[in-house]
Amino acid sequence: MSRNEVSGKAGQNPSSLWRASLSKNREIVGWTAQGALVCGIMLKHHIMAGLVLAFVATCPALSWADFGARVVTVHEGDRLTIHHEGRSETIYLKDIDCPELKQPYGKQAKHAIAAYVGNREVVVRALKRDRDGRATAEILLQDGRNVGHELLKEGLAWWQRSASNDASLEVLEELARASRKGLWADSNPVPPWKWKAPKKTSRKYSN
């Protein structure tokens, strides 16, 4: 610092120095207030994020596991292929089992689900894979209805007791049975896990 600068500062009015100091303090207070405000906003966002996660955990309808997809192929009543994020995957409907295509009402079940979801956007929920890589999930319509449950109501599927603990599905099955809807119109419908398709007879050639 030069001699002139030193002499200039020394010759300053005390009131000027006080005002300069006060201005500097106000700047520091302003920065501190801004920092506190930013911290407060960040904390608020963290709290809100935590509340949202807690809400999602207690509300399955908003589960992050849900995702949208388009149904591109309906293979049979309880099996279809979806397209999602550039790839296709075959999905089996969770908790139900439809008649095989060659069984009575097998084609009706396929036509019924095709009418619900064929080439349409759906919501895929609770997708899981077994040891063999087979994927099962709930398929929901845009209005929130579960397609598998709709098939049960129409008497075009059995409730998978061995794989599901949802007792409400047993009620849907019993109501369809009592009304003799779909496959329950038969006196003794055979479930697909007991049904065996007729084996093709192989031709024998002799010389």
Side-chain angles (χ1 to χ4, degrees), residues 53-68:
L53 289 175
F55 180 67
V56 167
T58 58
C59 184
L62 295 178
S63 172
W64 297 130
D66 295 358
F67 62 89

Side-chain angles (χ1 to χ4, degrees), residues 74 76-78 98-99 105-114 151 156-157:
V74 174
E76 52 188 340
D78 53 10
C98 290
Y105 298 96
K107 291 181 180 179
Q108 288 92 323
K110 177 182 177 179
H111 294 156
I113 190 173
L151 292 178
L156 295 174

Side-chain angles (χ1 to χ4, degrees), residues 1-12:
M1 182 180 293
S2 66
R3 183 178 298 175
N4 291 335
E5 290 175 336
V6 173
S7 60
K9 285 187 176 293
Q12 283 184 349

Side-chain angles (χ1 to χ4, degrees), residues 11-155:
Q12 283 184 349
N13 192 321
S15 61
S16 298
L17 291 174
W18 181 82
R19 284 195 297 270
S21 176
L22 181 61
S23 176
K24 191 67 175 178
N25 288 338
R26 284 176 178 171
E27 279 186 51
I28 294 173
V29 171
W31 293 339
T32 303
Q34 289 179 359
L37 181 61
V38 171
C39 290
I41 293 173
M42 292 177 64
L43 179 61
K44 181 179 179 181
H45 282 297
H46 283 303
I47 293 173
M48 289 299 295
L51 290 174
V52 170
L53 289 175
F55 180 67
V56 167
T58 58
C59 184
L62 295 178
S63 172
W64 297 130
D66 295 358
F67 62 89
R70 176 172 287 273
V71 176
V72 293
T73 307
V74 174
H75 303 282
E76 52 188 340
D78 53 10
R79 181 168 61 96
L80 45 85
T81 295
I82 61 170
H83 189 76
H84 171 66
E85 292 186 346
R87 64 187 182 90
S88 297
E89 183 167 15
T90 298
I91 302 290
Y92 289 83
L93 296 188
K94 183 174 179 284
D95 296 334
I96 69 164
D97 206 348
C98 290
E100 300 289 337
L101 286 178
K102 293 184 178 181
Q103 281 187 264
Y105 298 96
K107 291 181 180 179
Q108 288 92 323
K110 177 182 177 179
H111 294 156
I113 190 173
Y116 281 120
V117 302
N119 199 33
R120 296 181 184 176
E121 297 292 331
V122 297
V123 175
V124 181
R125 171 174 295 173
L127 188 148
K128 294 182 179 179
R129 303 180 195 281
D130 61 18
R131 296 177 181 177
D132 299 323
R134 176 172 134 157
T136 60
E138 297 179 43
I139 301 296
L140 309 183
L141 302 176
Q142 293 299 319
D143 60 9
R145 286 181 296 164
N146 185 308
V147 177
H149 298 181
E150 295 302 313
L151 292 178
L152 278 175
K153 292 177 184 178
E154 295 181 24

